[in-house]
Amino acid sequence: MNLLLIILIAVLVVWIVLSIEVWRGLGKLSSLEGFPGTASGPLLSIIVPARNEEEAITDSILSQLKQDYERIEWILVNDRSTDRTPDKLERLGKMDKRIRVLHIDTLEKGWLGKNQGLYKGYLLSKGSLILFTDADVLYKDPAILSRAVGVFQSQKLDHLTLAPNIKSKTFWLKSFVAFFLFGFSFYKRPWKANDPSSGIGVGIGAFNLITRSAYEEIGTHEKIKHMPDDDLQLGIHIKKGGKRQGLLTALHSLEVEWYHSLKGAMQGLEKNTFAGLHYSIILVVFAMTGVFCSTVLPFLTIFTGDPLNRTVSILIILLIFITYFKVIKEMTNESPLLILSLPVTALLFIYSIARATFLTFRRGGIEWRGTIYPLKELREKRK
């Protein structure tokens, strides 16, 4: 038995396990749209950090103001913006007395900008429920918040996160986002968030709803002030703290245009990719090799002369297609036909990992919204 065949058989075994788990797991996820809402309840504090978000912030907040949940306050945090974001926030503040605007001019030592903004917003808030949401999220259904609070109360949750529809305009960006969700599904296994016995936690920046008491008990954003993947880390710390967590999809209610272009997606992942691999070169090499062997190699070996290699490759590709189809169906509103670009998208993803790692070392840290955060400090604080 040659080495290539051994690798292919190992990949086949991995995909059999992953396919079964992904189909079972994603099949258990529910949609927020299927739950009833409650218009009344505890005061909800919505905290929105914004740095140079002049294009999106007004539409996002106006969509939130249409919500039918009765008790809401907004804390809009201007995080050192250099565009017209401060002016737009002030105009929004004058539109509705429930809105308060906080301007942050300096970044305190040890903090990442967004994390500091979320924490400062929390200090101003009064609600027993806190919603951390991004400045570019559109709330397309006026009952999102009432439904979310209803689920929160009926299931006695400490934290609820929603997976939004990620809007993409170009084919390659759609393909790249779909592949990202594909990898996220079997790497992070988001359905485990709903299992109280599982230690796996998930948080999504578009919608992180948490009780004030749970947020304070896990140490607030002070605990994760140095982490660029703050949304995910919030969910992880909730589970570590023994709190009850839930994850639902909201593909028809919540929408965010993650990036405007494929180039923008590559740039956006610079801050999270290396962090997600714990700033470890070994894990970077392992991730790149794993992605290549599992999602690119079978599309090459299907053309080899060895019939056994071809057969195993075909089986792997069938499992990839089956798993990819399930992820696209449950986690996006896109067409499953995006699967036709999968090998190329996988190579682009490998390139994005290599690019992010290289740039992090060249800059001596990660660059996020115009600020450089030193790699040495990030590594030390990650320990």
Side-chain angles (χ1 to χ4, degrees):
M1 187 180 291
N2 59 53
L3 178 60
L4 179 58
L5 182 57
I6 292 173
I7 293 173
L8 288 172
I9 290 174
V11 171
L12 177 62
V13 172
V14 169
W15 272 115
I16 290 172
V17 174
L18 288 177
S19 298
I20 293 172
E21 185 166 13
V22 169
W23 267 80
R24 285 180 176 175
L26 290 181
K28 296 176 182 177
L29 284 185
S30 300
S31 169
L32 177 71
E33 288 89 352
F35 289 88
T38 175
S40 61
L43 177 63
L44 170 62
S45 297
I46 300 180
I47 301 174
V48 186
R51 178 172 171 81
N52 296 339
E53 293 282 3
E54 64 178 2
E55 292 183 10
I57 187 65
T58 300
D59 289 341
S60 176
I61 301 304
L62 289 179
S63 72
Q64 294 176 39
L65 291 174
K66 296 176 183 176
Q67 291 297 302
D68 62 8
Y69 189 73
E70 295 174 353
R71 302 188 63 200
I72 308 177
E73 67 168 0
W74 280 266
I75 313 294
L76 309 184
V77 184
N78 165 37
D79 174 28
R80 301 166 296 137
S81 295
T82 56
D83 63 358
R84 295 183 298 159
T85 297
D87 295 334
K88 295 207 168 189
L89 294 183
E90 288 295 336
R91 289 176 191 169
L92 288 165
K94 292 175 181 177
M95 287 176 55
D96 197 302
K97 64 181 180 181
R98 297 172 296 174
I99 295 176
R100 282 187 287 172
V101 179
L102 170 65
H103 296 283
I104 295 178
D105 299 319
T106 58
L107 182 63
E108 296 179 7
K109 184 175 175 57
W111 284 87
L112 270 68
K114 179 185 175 184
N115 301 4
Q116 177 182 268
L118 292 171
Y119 178 69
K120 296 289 187 182
Y122 146 74
L123 293 178
L124 280 181
S125 68
K126 299 176 181 177
S128 58
L129 288 179
I130 300 173
L131 172 61
F132 298 114
T133 187
D134 292 335
D136 53 356
V137 180
L138 290 177
Y139 288 65
K140 302 181 73 175
D141 177 2
I144 298 173
L145 295 179
S146 61
R147 293 182 195 275
V149 174
V151 171
F152 207 89
Q153 293 178 328
S154 64
Q155 297 186 10
K156 299 180 180 179
L157 300 177
D158 298 296
H159 174 240
L160 174 66
T161 192
L162 299 180
N165 175 49
I166 300 177
K167 179 183 177 182
S168 303
K169 293 180 179 177
T170 67
F171 173 79
W172 285 110
L173 180 57
K174 289 180 181 181
S175 299
F176 188 81
V177 169
F179 186 83
F180 176 85
L181 293 173
F182 178 58
F184 178 80
S185 294
F186 57 76
Y187 179 58
K188 292 298 183 182
R189 294 178 290 171
W191 54 86
K192 290 287 187 178
N194 296 316
D195 182 0
S197 65
S198 168
I200 296 176
V202 177
I204 300 172
F207 196 100
N208 270 319
L209 179 64
I210 187 171
T211 64
R212 190 179 202 87
S213 58
Y215 179 63
E216 291 172 347
E217 285 178 34
I218 65 170
T220 73
H221 273 83
E222 279 195 300
K223 188 79 172 180
I224 54 174
K225 61 183 178 182
H226 54 284
M227 296 183 175
D229 51 344
D230 62 287
D231 49 357
L232 180 61
Q233 290 298 326
L234 183 69
I236 290 173
H237 280 73
I238 280 287
K239 272 297 185 75
K240 282 183 178 179
K243 305 300 180 184
R244 189 172 179 86
Q245 184 177 82
L247 180 146
L248 299 172
T249 60
L251 303 180
H252 303 289
S253 301
L254 211 60
E255 183 175 274
V256 58
E257 186 174 3
W258 206 15
Y259 299 106
H260 297 305
S261 65
L262 180 59
K263 179 181 178 181
M266 293 282 187
Q267 293 172 338
L269 289 176
E270 289 172 15
K271 71 179 179 67
N272 283 343
T273 304
F274 202 20
L277 295 169
H278 303 280
Y279 306 108
S280 167
I281 291 295
I282 294 175
L283 288 180
V284 167
V285 173
F286 180 79
M288 293 172 63
T289 304
V291 172
F292 180 82
C293 290
S294 63
T295 55
V296 178
L297 184 62
F299 289 91
L300 301 176
T301 53
I302 196 173
F303 297 107
T304 61
D306 188 319
L308 190 52
N309 284 353
R310 287 202 306 270
T311 301
V312 176
S313 298
I314 290 171
L315 291 174
I316 293 171
I317 291 170
L318 285 174
L319 288 171
I320 291 174
F321 277 27
I322 289 169
T323 309
Y324 191 92
F325 175 83
K326 184 65 172 178
V327 172
I328 295 297
K329 181 176 180 292
E330 301 294 341
M331 300 294 289
T332 79
N333 290 329
E334 302 293 352
S335 168
L337 291 177
L338 291 174
I339 196 170
L340 299 176
S341 65
L342 191 143
V344 177
T345 314
L347 288 172
L348 286 172
F349 192 73
I350 292 170
Y351 168 73
S352 75
I353 296 174
R355 180 178 182 276
T357 304
F358 170 75
L359 289 175
T360 300
F361 277 106
R362 191 179 75 174
R363 295 166 177 160
I366 63 169
E367 181 177 356
W368 189 12
R369 300 290 180 121
T371 303
I372 298 288
Y373 301 94
L375 177 58
K376 183 178 179 181
E377 291 183 14
L378 293 171
R379 274 178 161 167
E380 288 176 351
K381 292 171 182 176
R382 190 95 185 189
K383 295 177 182 177

